[in-house]
Amino acid sequence: MKKICTLFAVAAALAGCSQPQNPTPGSSLNLDSGWQLSRDGSSEQYAASVPSTVAGVLCDAGFFPKDVLEHCNYAAVDKSIFDDAWTYRTSFAASPNDAQHYELAFEGLGYRADIILNGKQLAASDTTFGVFRRHTYDVSELLTANNTLEVRLHRAQKGDLNIGFVDWNPRPLDESMGIVRPVTLRTYGAVSVEDVFVVPNLNIETLAEADLEVRVRLRNHENSIVDGTLALELQGVGKCNIPIKLTNYQEHTFTITPEQVPMLHVDKPRVWWSYDLGKPEMYNLCANVNIDGKLSDTRSVDFGIRKIESRLIEGNHRQFTLNGKDILIKGAGWTDDIFLRDTPESIERQVRYVMDMNLNCIRFENIWGKDDTIYDLCDRLGVLALVGWSCQWEWEDYCGLPEVDGYGCINTPETEDLAVAYFRDQVVRLHNHPAVIAWLTGSDRIPNERLEKRYLDIYAAEEYRPYVCSAKNLESAAGWSGTKMEGPYEYVGPDYWFRDKEHGGAFGFNTETGIGANMPQMESLRRMLDLDKPEEWNYHCTASASALNTTAVLTEVINGQYGEAKDVQDFVRKAHAVDYDGTRAMFEAFRVRMPAATGIVQWMLNSAWPSLYWQLYDYYGVPTAGYYGTKKACEPLQLIFDYDTRMVNAVNESRDARTLKATMHVFDEYSKPIGGESREFSIAYRESLPLFDMHKYVGKAHFIALTLETLDGTRITDNFYCIPARDNEYDWSSSNWYVTPITKYADLSFAFNQEPADVTMTIERSNDVWNITLQNKSTVISYMNILKALNSAGELVVPAIWSDNFVTLLPGETKVITCRTNARDVRFILDK
């Protein structure tokens, strides 16, 4: 978010050079390249860039085999090399000027660091620690024309408040040791601009005006009183000058309001919306400090004009609103790569996946990101972000500190001081991002009263968004969280989400939940494990010691619902059906149950390493069946079968009221038509409208095919269901944190017992868009046709954005499906 104003584009360009000359005030040199990494006691060096982790650098250097994360290879790695200290070294040129100040800033160090510049120790590891701390050093007296910087790092130990992967995957080999966020050299004069914070207040009745409060934190680095001018430039609006005075070494926040500066009252503002409701419009504000007519420092921020609020509705559930509109949060939980090797390209691909699935939010349980790339993309593309601390620090097994009175593991003066410092630095880091809609200071627990009071003091000064004490349904001094975390995390049937009224079902705001295994496609499975070795399948489930760590539950589900798999291909295909229907139903239920349902977060969005669990696309970037089930479920306009009421509902989360036509066809278990109906209807935003009563089909296994059209016959979307003769039977009284057990499975074997269908595929290309036409020439339903785009190595192309996939074709039906990819030498196959 923070960058050099365009007025100083030359200085900004110099920041990327290895030999900057005459850096101007406000310039910043990013020390990201040209590093060498070495282990204490070894002469071998590895080329490194920053940010990075030691394990990530070694991986890129070929120290580990390419398949270190695959099979069971990870378990065999000797981690003792990370018991030693590792040192990052780099050299850089500068042209220091006695009239200027120079600051070396470290945005994140993992975990303890000795920092040495030109032979002078700036910091020692006994006082310089904490991965979410920002460390800055005045190096004005040490800087020379040619400089050498060394950062000697020690990995986190048991009891340290480190980056947390919890039980999602094995712990990083090096415990994320490294320079994990940017290192920069700043240049400024007598007064520096430490922070610029814009607090927008949009008139949500008209959206026609907004007031901006601007808080600029300045610091005087001189032992004398300084008078000067603070110059603000608001993009597309105007400029203003404000006189300032700072006493000796004073740091002060200047608050500027529309009453003082009329340009901060913005008429007809360009409003920031999430992508599904409008355009994510952005503004830029540049703040310059001038002393005696000369520039001392400059800082600019991007921000959005929008209003995010929340309230507790009936049932004590938290309802978020954006610019006055109630919204249903539909998201999934993010994780970084296990060695923090995400790139801007891989991050953008993933955010666009979120949008392609019609989700509107990402939950960041842990302040993820080596830099602000992910948050900048959420701002620019219009994806909401929930941020907060990880449960890594709330359970002794993961943190290494004792849990106290239900408050987790941060309960000593030392850990509380560190957590407060973390909180201040990360809140300030993120507080201009319009995509961020709330902070969660607890995940599975709440902070203790002392700690939370300090959090709230910081929040009052540095934030304005909703504060949420926990992702779980808990109460703190700040009030009720308004959220729930009652699971499940393991398989429950599609009917569960509609029928459950006490646990994870479709009411309130479920901050993390899912159906457990989200099976990768076969091409990914062949990369990550030996298909004939069960121990490798189990190794790539979760790292939980208590559950979710084998494929046993998935196997039981497949056997119970579809019948025992004939071979591994049949097993994977049936696992896809489990995933598609189960994940789709989770999102659909929360949409049908609006407004009592206020939010649903799939656990998880992605995986830190090759995994079989908790992902909508796999480690290699390939979508799972659940990806396409989510995409279908979350279409802005959709027809959804309610497993509890036995009604087909229309749901509208598009921006406007619509008048549409819905059609329903019913087929028996042998693909014979047994019913159908059409009707026109009008539907408002966030309305769930019952259309078709399906009670007369209860007790019969059947298929439901749904089509939604405009009144002129243009197809909007479709949906398809395999409905068993009877629902799953649950042992509701035995529900626990991760599952409600199924005592008798619904019989869905008829879905895979259809006669083979004759489906043809034709392909046409227009630039990077491929049109795939599928035609079912048979009199039977062709269930779950999987389209694959393969490269010359036989691997699935990434990214390949399909308009639909894992599709079902009715007897005689033709569908045209598009695939967008810029890959060359691509070939398409149909797995049916």
Side-chain angles (χ1 to χ4, degrees):
M1 285 291 283
K2 298 172 182 175
K3 56 190 179 185
I4 309 308
C5 292
T6 53
L7 179 61
F8 301 97
V10 172
L14 289 172
C17 302
S18 59
Q19 295 185 4
Q21 296 180 359
N22 301 318
T24 59
S27 66
S28 180
L29 173 64
N30 188 7
L31 301 178
D32 57 352
S33 59
W35 292 80
Q36 295 289 319
L37 177 66
S38 62
R39 176 187 178 189
D40 271 14
S42 172
S43 60
E44 191 162 6
Q45 298 192 38
Y46 304 90
S49 59
V50 165
S52 63
T53 66
V54 173
V57 171
L58 296 181
C59 228
D60 292 341
F63 182 88
F64 302 119
K66 289 183 179 179
D67 61 355
V68 65
L69 297 179
E70 292 152 356
H71 305 282
C72 292
N73 298 335
Y74 193 79
V77 174
D78 178 10
K79 296 190 291 186
S80 65
I81 61 171
F82 303 110
D83 293 336
D84 295 330
W86 288 72
T87 299
Y88 284 79
R89 293 181 180 85
T90 192
S91 298
F92 62 94
S95 299
N97 182 327
D98 289 344
Q100 295 174 355
H101 295 267
Y102 301 89
E103 177 187 88
L104 193 60
F106 296 84
E107 302 297 331
L109 296 167
Y111 184 79
R112 298 179 182 273
D114 299 294
I115 304 173
I116 300 169
L117 177 63
N118 297 332
K120 176 71 173 180
Q121 186 159 358
L122 298 179
S125 59
D126 58 342
T127 56
T128 307
F129 55 87
V131 71
F132 294 109
R133 281 301 321 269
R134 184 173 188 269
H135 300 280
T136 61
Y137 305 96
D138 187 336
V139 296
S140 304
E141 302 298 322
L142 298 177
L143 211 59
T144 64
N146 296 292
N147 303 275
T148 300
L149 176 62
E150 300 179 33
V151 183
R152 185 171 180 263
L153 292 159
H154 309 260
R155 71 170 179 86
Q157 302 294 322
K158 181 178 180 179
D160 287 332
L161 303 185
N162 194 22
I163 290 174
F165 291 90
V166 201
D167 58 356
W168 315 337
N169 47 262
R171 297 176 79 112
L173 297 169
D174 60 352
E175 297 291 340
S176 302
M177 173 167 54
I179 302 177
V180 298
R181 292 197 174 93
V183 180
T184 55
L185 179 69
R186 287 181 59 203
T187 303
Y188 44 78
V191 174
S192 61
V193 183
E194 296 297 303
D195 185 50
V196 178
F197 179 28
V198 182
V199 181
N201 186 14
L202 175 67
N203 182 334
I204 59 175
E205 298 298 324
T206 66
L207 304 183
E209 60 178 348
D211 287 334
L212 306 180
E213 179 180 289
V214 178
R215 304 173 190 173
V216 183
R217 181 157 46 91
L218 303 180
R219 183 180 176 191
N220 179 10
H221 297 267
E222 302 293 333
N223 188 21
S224 59
I225 297 174
V226 173
D227 292 288
T229 301
L230 173 62
L232 301 180
E233 181 175 355
L234 181 58
Q235 175 194 13
V237 177
K239 303 178 182 179
C240 69
N241 292 312
I242 301 155
I244 60 165
K245 175 179 285 190
L246 292 167
T247 60
N248 312 37
Y249 300 121
Q250 183 184 12
E251 184 170 313
H252 180 72
T253 297
F254 292 84
T255 300
I256 304 110
T257 66
E259 289 73 25
Q260 299 165 277
V261 176
M263 80 168 186
L264 297 182
H265 177 83
V266 182
D267 289 318
K268 298 179 180 178
R270 294 180 288 107
V271 177
W272 189 96
W273 288 96
S274 57
Y275 78 92
D276 53 325
L277 295 176
K279 289 184 64 178
E281 298 278 8
M282 298 291 292
Y283 283 82
N284 177 267
L285 178 69
C286 188
N288 297 333
V289 173
N290 298 294
I291 307 297
D292 297 329
K294 295 181 180 179
L295 180 68
S296 179
D297 196 12
T298 181
R299 188 178 292 254
S300 74
V301 295
D302 293 329
F303 68 97
I305 294 178
R306 59 96 181 91
K307 192 160 195 173
I308 187 73
E309 298 175 292
S310 73
R311 67 185 187 278
L312 296 182
I313 64 171
E314 184 179 354
N316 216 24
H317 306 312
R318 187 170 296 275
Q319 173 66 62
F320 280 93
T321 66
L322 176 62
N323 302 328
K325 276 183 174 284
D326 284 355
I327 54 175
L328 174 67
I329 300 297
K330 303 181 295 292
W334 176 279
T335 178
D336 281 359
D337 175 85
I338 193 169
F339 297 145
L340 307 188
R341 291 182 298 170
D342 296 294
T343 66
E345 294 76 20
S346 72
I347 292 170
E348 180 164 357
R349 180 180 72 236
Q350 294 180 79
V351 177
R352 292 192 180 276
Y353 276 173
V354 170
M355 299 168 67
D356 185 56
M357 286 184 281
N358 300 303
L359 300 177
N360 60 9
C361 184
I362 301 173
R363 181 183 168 202
F364 297 92
E365 185 192 331
N366 206 71
I367 308 301
W368 290 113
K370 294 186 295 185
D371 52 28
D372 279 5
T373 296
I374 181 65
Y375 306 104
D376 290 341
L377 280 166
C378 287
D379 292 343
R380 179 166 61 85
L381 297 177
V383 176
L384 305 174
L386 279 169
V387 302
W389 296 139
S390 167
C391 68
Q392 173 89 6
W393 305 340
E394 296 173 337
W395 298 98
E396 185 171 355
D397 287 349
Y398 301 113
C399 181
L401 295 173
E403 305 159 31
V404 177
D405 297 330
Y407 292 122
C409 305
I410 305 175
N411 297 290
T412 65
E414 295 77 15
T415 56
E416 288 176 13
D417 287 348
L418 181 59
V420 167
Y422 278 1
F423 189 67
R424 178 183 294 106
D425 287 349
Q426 298 308 311
V427 166
V428 170
R429 171 191 171 195
L430 298 176
H431 61 187
N432 281 306
H433 288 279
V436 175
I437 62 171
W439 256 90
L440 285 73
T441 54
S443 179
D444 303 15
R445 308 291 183 90
I446 58 173
N448 70 49
E449 292 181 5
R450 297 183 309 275
L451 180 58
E452 185 171 52
K453 182 181 184 306
R454 297 174 72 184
Y455 282 166
L456 290 170
D457 288 344
I458 293 168
Y459 211 73
E462 301 291 357
E463 256 296 359
Y464 61 90
R465 279 159 264 237
Y467 169 98
V468 182
C469 66
S470 178
K472 198 174 177 72
N473 183 26
L474 295 172
E475 184 181 22
S476 75
W480 280 100
S481 65
T483 56
K484 67 174 182 178
M485 190 195 294
E486 301 298 327
Y489 297 89
E490 185 58 278
Y491 182 76
V492 291
D495 53 346
Y496 167 91
W497 305 100
F498 296 87
R499 294 169 59 192
D500 173 68
K501 305 298 190 292
E502 295 184 12
H503 306 288
F507 61 93
F509 189 165
N510 195 335
T511 58
E512 54 179 73
T513 192
I515 65 162
N518 304 111
M519 186 63 62
Q521 296 193 48
M522 184 62 78
E523 290 77 5
S524 292
L525 288 170
R526 289 193 180 105
R527 291 179 67 177
M528 65 188 283
L529 51 80
D530 188 324
L531 299 176
D532 296 325
K533 294 183 177 180
E535 67 273 16
E536 293 191 8
W537 291 75
N538 294 339
Y539 185 61
H540 287 275
C541 295
T542 80
S544 172
S546 57
L548 313 142
N549 48 28
T550 76
T551 59
V553 171
L554 178 60
T555 301
E556 178 185 298
V557 172
I558 289 171
N559 293 347
Q561 288 191 164
Y562 298 109
E564 187 174 348
K566 299 186 295 287
D567 51 34
V568 68
Q569 286 80 10
D570 191 39
F571 178 85
V572 172
R573 189 174 188 80
K574 289 174 176 174
H576 290 330
V578 169
D579 186 10
Y580 188 102
D581 284 354
T583 304
R584 176 184 61 173
M586 178 181 71
F587 283 104
E588 287 183 334
F590 276 77
R591 299 188 71 201
V592 166
R593 292 289 188 267
M594 292 185 296
T598 61
I600 172 67
V601 178
Q602 148 77 15
W603 204 251
M604 303 177 63
L605 175 66
N606 56 350
S607 290
W609 84 315
S611 178
L612 306 183
Y613 262 73
W614 297 345
Q615 58 194 355
L616 292 175
Y617 48 89
D618 66 28
Y619 180 73
Y620 308 108
V622 176
T624 63
Y627 178 108
Y628 296 105
T630 299
K631 180 172 180 168
K632 184 69 68 175
C634 296
E635 295 248 14
L637 294 159
Q638 187 54 284
L639 299 173
I640 296 171
F641 175 70
D642 186 325
Y643 285 81
D644 187 36
T645 66
R646 318 309 289 189
M647 299 293 294
V648 170
N649 287 52
V651 175
N652 179 12
E653 285 188 277
S654 67
R655 283 172 276 181
D656 304 309
R658 300 290 296 271
T659 301
L660 303 166
K661 179 182 178 181
T663 301
M664 173 267 292
H665 293 287
V666 183
F667 299 80
D668 70 13
E669 60 184 303
Y670 304 107
S671 296
K672 303 301 181 184
I674 57 173
E677 188 178 346
S678 292
R679 63 173 289 190
E680 295 180 3
F681 63 96
S682 296
I683 187 168
Y685 170 68
R686 279 178 53 86
E687 185 177 3
S688 175
L689 180 68
L691 294 180
F692 303 125
D693 189 337
M694 308 300 292
H695 277 91
K696 68 179 177 179
Y697 302 104
V698 172
K700 307 171 186 176
H702 58 284
F703 299 105
I704 303 174
L706 304 171
T707 305
L708 188 62
E709 300 172 313
T710 62
L711 296 186
D712 64 5
T714 302
R715 179 172 287 201
I716 296 171
T717 187
D718 58 22
N719 216 343
F720 183 85
Y721 295 89
C722 307
I723 305 300
R726 56 167 183 77
D727 290 336
N728 295 290
E729 295 180 13
Y730 293 90
D731 182 0
W732 298 103
S733 64
S734 296
S735 298
N736 56 41
W737 68 271
Y738 71 92
V739 74
T740 294
I742 298 176
T743 57
K744 190 172 184 179
Y745 288 97
D747 183 0
L748 292 166
S749 59
F750 66 95
F752 285 100
N753 288 342
Q754 303 299 300
E755 292 295 321
D758 179 13
V759 177
T760 62
M761 178 175 70
T762 58
I763 305 168
E764 293 181 355
R765 181 181 181 180
S766 176
N767 298 319
D768 290 338
V769 178
W770 302 76
N771 294 310
I772 315 295
T773 301
L774 300 180
Q775 184 179 10
N776 182 4
K777 296 183 176 182
S778 307
T779 59
V780 296
I781 289 170
S782 179
Y783 179 59
M784 206 171 69
N785 295 268
I786 307 172
L787 289 159
K788 299 174 183 278
L790 303 176
N791 61 23
S792 57
E795 297 173 343
L796 289 163
V797 168
V798 174
I801 305 299
W802 294 93
S803 59
D804 199 0
N805 211 331
F806 293 76
V807 298
T808 294
L809 295 168
L810 303 181
E813 185 177 19
T814 297
K815 281 188 176 181
V816 179
I817 296 169
T818 62
C819 177
R820 290 185 287 113
T821 179
N822 57 12
R824 298 295 177 258
D825 301 321
V826 63
R827 64 185 177 92
F828 295 92
I829 64 171
L830 175 63
D831 183 1
K832 57 182 180 176

